[in-house]
Amino acid sequence: MDDLSVKTGKRVVVLGAGSAGTMMVNKLRTRLPDEWQVVAVDRDNAHMYQPGFLFIPVGKYKPSRVVHSRKKYLLPGIDFVEAAVEKVVTAENKVYLSSGQAIEYDYLLIATGTQIRPDLTEGMADGALWFKKVFEFYTYEGSVALRRALEEFEGGKVVVHVTDMPIKCPVAPLELSFLIDDYFRKKRIRHKVDLTYVTPLDGAFSKPVASRELGNLLDDRAIRLRPDFAIDRIDNETQELVGYDGTRIPFDLCITTPLNTGQDYVFASDIGDESGFIPVDKHTLQSTDAPNVFAIGDATNLPTSKAGAVAHFSSEKLIENMVGLMLEGKQPAERFDGHANCFVESGRGQALLLDFNYDTQPLTGTYPLAHVGPMKLLGRSRLNHMGKLAFEKMYWGLLMRNRKNPLPADMQIAGKKWEE
Ligand SMILES: Cc1cc2nc3c(=O)[nH]c(=O)nc-3n(C[C@H](O)[C@H](O)[C@H](O)COP(=O)(O)OP(=O)(O)OC[C@H]3O[C@@H](n4cnc5c(N)ncnc54)[C@H](O)[C@@H]3O)c2cc1C
């Protein structure tokens, strides 16, 4: 890495080299002339394939499978700085790092994702049951610890719980419920397990048609749905989730999804909202506060799912907006439509596929080609499950390698069925 203490030419700095940051920094390096310095900052060199956190607990993935070297996926000509961001001061165009270094930028892209905050719910991270009977699976450590707990589990009340929205990959806790249903069946103890899905939403999911389909699927699997549950605390003595209204939900094993917020440094900077997310124009991804700052992925306040697919689709628009502004002074004009799609693992070797954007909720039909598919939207199929598994190869082999992806960035309406 060059000495970054003095800025001699034009410099763009990308914070975070996870899904969105890696895609964007590679695109920037490819599109910008050599005199532009392209810098990527991340706190470590371990790039995790987070959808794999679902498969580790149920023994389908070895933990080591999800971890790759970040540097391996960064194109030559990118300066990688391994340090934690401590603060961004947009008035100075500077990023302050844990190493004591301050990096000045002409343009900044924020792609530092979310973090889980189990410490913000009483009795969760500070309780005696944390990582003994109360687990999470949104981190590497959490999913590995849950794997051991499931191996040892012999029956009782299992609660899969969501603390509050937004969370990244909002279908992941549902998927985990379906996968552990399968897991307990294979272990031949399903009849000894009372499985409940507890959510603050008024149904299984936030979008009406998808919520109905996913709710039916929970029913089908004899997984009880407990909607509208606003957690106040976990009572570690009685092993119960306690709601604000005093309702109590007992458990022998609780798999929670803690509050998701932006990263700590955002709270210490002048760039975030009260949840630590970066306010951006929802179509151009330009910061609403500083015109030379953009944000992408889970770190933003975009009103769509926090998902890798969103990072990918929006990157196709963002690169045009950034490069146009940086090289020609053009105002950002490419509009991201909020397109998200998620393969929802439904167990028994099948998955559902959801496809939606800011304006259109998930509908039935086919994907990616109208009437042809081959994937079925909102219906369970083996092919959808194969699609979910194949995505891992596409992630490392295409998206993180800056290779052209054939899927269109905008949501396609043709071939979808509307219902009242
Ligand atoms: C269990 C699970 C299942 C999922 N399944 C799917 C799925 O099936 N499909 C899908 O599309 N999405 C899925 N996701 C969501 C997907 O992984 C994320 O939406 C995606 O990774 C977001 O990309 P990002 O770049 O915004 O954030 P990340 O990929 O999380 O990258 C953020 C980066 O910022 C770095 N960083 C953070 N803070 C700092 C700091 N202070 N200093 C320096 N670096 C920092 C981190 O180290 C990290 O590398 C899943 C997520 C989970 C947890």
Side-chain angles (χ1 to χ4, degrees), residues 101-165:
Q101 231 180 345
I103 309 181
E104 209 180 331
Y105 59 81
D106 294 288
Y107 289 88
L108 180 70
L109 174 61
I110 298 175
T112 40
T114 63
Q115 60 173 333
I116 56 159
R117 293 293 307 272
D119 54 312
L120 295 181
T121 303
E122 189 188 330
M124 201 176 270
D126 62 353
L129 300 179
W130 187 236
F131 275 39
K132 294 194 178 72
K133 295 204 169 183
V134 180
F135 293 86
E136 54 84 15
F137 66 102
Y138 267 48
T139 61
Y140 178 85
E141 297 71 24
S143 71
V144 172
L146 178 59
R147 179 189 181 111
R148 281 195 296 272
L150 287 176
E151 276 165 10
E152 286 162 17
F153 192 70
E154 284 173 357
K157 292 186 169 60
V158 178
V159 164
V160 179
H161 168 249
V162 177
T163 302
D164 206 355
M165 294 294 174

Side-chain angles (χ1 to χ4, degrees), residues 18-20 42-43 50-51 70 84-85 111-112 169 263 297-298 307-309 388:
S19 307
D42 206 298
R43 58 189 164 201
Q50 297 173 40
R70 278 185 212 292
V85 179
T112 40
C169 196
Q263 304 293 349
D298 295 354
K388 173 118 187 161

Side-chain angles (χ1 to χ4, degrees), residues 180-378:
I180 62 174
D181 167 61
D182 263 10
Y183 178 86
F184 291 137
R185 271 174 217 286
K186 284 208 185 93
K187 229 176 136 180
R188 298 186 184 281
I189 60 163
R190 181 63 179 93
H191 61 289
K192 294 199 228 163
V193 178
D194 178 357
L195 193 50
T196 307
Y197 185 74
V198 181
T199 168
L201 298 174
D202 60 5
F205 196 55
S206 53
K207 321 259 176 193
V209 180
S211 184
R212 185 193 63 209
E213 296 298 319
L214 292 163
N216 290 343
L217 198 52
L218 287 172
D219 253 10
D220 229 40
R221 300 288 153 83
I223 302 172
R224 213 191 311 267
L225 173 64
R226 189 67 194 263
D228 295 316
F229 186 80
I231 190 171
D232 176 28
R233 65 194 172 88
I234 298 181
D235 186 330
N236 281 251
E237 279 187 12
T238 58
Q239 295 193 187
E240 290 170 315
L241 303 181
V242 185
Y244 276 108
D245 61 0
T247 2
R248 289 175 167 259
I249 302 177
F251 62 83
D252 296 297
L253 176 69
C254 171
I255 306 168
T256 189
T257 307
L259 277 179
N260 281 204
T261 70
Q263 304 293 349
D264 289 346
Y265 81 87
V266 179
F267 293 97
S269 306
D270 57 353
I271 42 165
D273 64 17
E274 68 285 352
S275 302
F277 298 123
I278 314 295
V280 289
D281 178 294
K282 72 175 189 177
H283 295 298
T284 65
L285 276 63
Q286 188 174 33
S287 155
T288 49
D289 298 325
N292 61 339
V293 177
F294 291 79
I296 184 170
D298 295 354
T300 67
N301 72 341
L302 291 180
T304 185
S305 276
K306 293 192 181 299
V310 168
H312 157 225
F313 294 136
S314 60
S315 72
E316 310 264 331
K317 308 287 177 168
L318 177 59
I319 186 65
E320 302 307 329
N321 287 338
M322 286 189 78
V323 168
L325 181 64
M326 292 157 82
L327 298 183
E328 298 168 55
K330 282 199 326 212
Q331 281 317 300
E334 285 288 327
R335 290 169 68 80
F336 174 55
D337 66 352
H339 187 198
N341 62 33
C342 332
F343 288 99
V344 187
E345 193 63 25
S346 56
R348 306 192 188 165
Q350 296 190 321
L352 282 88
L353 180 58
L354 309 184
D355 193 48
F356 54 97
N357 69 12
Y358 293 140
D359 304 318
T360 313
Q361 65 152 313
L363 301 169
T364 50
T366 56
Y367 184 85
L369 300 175
H371 313 295
V372 177
M375 315 250 190
K376 220 162 105 183
L377 292 168
L378 270 175

